Amino acid sequence: MAGHQTIKDFILISEFCEVEGPRCVMTIPAILPHLNNNEHFNLDEFLLYIMTTDYQNFPGEKWEEVSDVPCIRTNIIQNFHAILHYFTLKDPQARGGVRPSCIAYVTQNQTKLYRMKSEVLNSLNMSAQIFKNANINWMRSLGQDIGVQENESVANLLDKWKDLIQPAAEIGDQEKKLKPWHMLCPTGVSIVISGLLFVYKIWSRTLEDQILDPKVISSTYDLFTNVNPDDVDFKTVMSQLNGIIL
């Protein structure tokens, strides 16, 4: 019976890194002890399935905006389903100048997944737009204006929380290293983590709780207007960025 134990929901942010291949950037919550040694879940296998999807067909160096792709996939691996939002960040040092990325809400309850798909898709989309606008700002800091229009609401959020950014270590021009994923969109990371932690606490409840005590999640960027850097869960997720702690 242990092999059929239901695993708690979680949020996964991943990228396709040209050096490492499919890579987990962070999870919410940060520590997922219920995944350790689980016979039905392998993180590397899961990442391979979701990040080898050719969602953008992106040939060569091309700076116009690539469309996001939201979708739902069931049984990605045995009894693991996900609501996904694929998007792309710009990186001049990456192959093709882009870093394919994905935010996924993962659950074993397929009924629950379809019940809350609209609000989850909306929140994942807003998270991606924050990351992308932060990425535009980062590109401009390098002197590269890619001609993409900023979202005014997101721009206001980024301006409000810009003091949360931690200084990045300088990388010399002679070192042609890819920057860590989160340094491509530094002003957006804290905002998105804080917002997703809030909505995760609502999404991750059991289906029974969802039905008996429905919660309404804001469908606007108000989800991301409060950041508490002293929150324990927030600190733990931020600590993942330099190494996964599953």
Side-chain angles (χ1 to χ4, degrees), residues 3 9 31 43 48 56 65 72 75 80 86 91 136 144 149 155 162 165 175 178 192-193 197-198 202 219 223 230 241:
D9 300 353
I31 301 174
L43 180 62
L48 184 64
Q56 57 177 344
E65 188 172 13
I72 295 175
N75 288 304
F80 278 87
Y86 292 98
D91 183 355
I136 293 171
Q144 299 193 44
Q149 186 68 34
K162 62 184 177 183
I165 304 170
E175 300 180 50
L178 289 175
V192 171
I193 289 175
L197 275 169
F198 171 75
I202 297 176
S219 60
L223 280 173
D230 296 320
L241 296 177

Side-chain angles (χ1 to χ4, degrees), residues 81-93:
H81 322 290
I83 300 172
L84 307 109
H85 188 101
Y86 292 98
F87 63 103
T88 303
L89 298 183
K90 310 294 185 182
D91 183 355
Q93 293 184 355

Side-chain angles (χ1 to χ4, degrees), residues 15-16 20 36 39 54 69 136 141 147 162 168 175 204 212:
E15 70 159 328
F16 193 94
E20 300 178 32
N36 290 343
E39 62 180 295
D54 184 15
V69 176
I136 293 171
S141 74
K162 62 184 177 183
E175 300 180 50
S204 61
L212 295 173

Side-chain angles (χ1 to χ4, degrees), residues 130 133-134 137 150-165 186-192 194-195 220-229:
I130 293 171
N133 276 259
N137 289 343
E150 286 184 277
N151 179 304
E152 185 176 349
S153 297
V154 177
N156 291 336
L157 275 177
L158 296 177
D159 186 61
K160 178 180 180 180
W161 298 112
K162 62 184 177 183
D163 293 337
L164 289 176
I165 304 170
T187 55
V189 171
S190 297
I191 301 168
V192 171
S194 182
T220 71
Y221 287 103
D222 290 343
L223 280 173
F224 304 92
T225 55
N226 295 294
V227 177
N228 180 6

Side-chain angles (χ1 to χ4, degrees), residues 117-181:
K117 66 178 181 178
S118 295
E119 60 181 327
V120 174
L121 282 167
N122 190 56
S123 298
L124 298 188
N125 172 62
M126 288 189 287
S127 299
Q129 303 321 306
I130 293 171
F131 282 140
K132 290 168 64 178
N133 276 259
N135 181 235
I136 293 171
N137 289 343
W138 178 71
M139 289 290 294
R140 287 175 178 162
S141 74
L142 300 179
Q144 299 193 44
D145 190 341
I146 59 177
V148 177
Q149 186 68 34
E150 286 184 277
N151 179 304
E152 185 176 349
S153 297
V154 177
N156 291 336
L157 275 177
L158 296 177
D159 186 61
K160 178 180 180 180
W161 298 112
K162 62 184 177 183
D163 293 337
L164 289 176
I165 304 170
Q166 296 181 351
E170 291 294 328
I171 298 179
D173 291 338
Q174 74 279 8
E175 300 180 50
K176 296 301 182 183
K177 294 181 180 178
L178 289 175
K179 275 188 174 290
W181 184 92

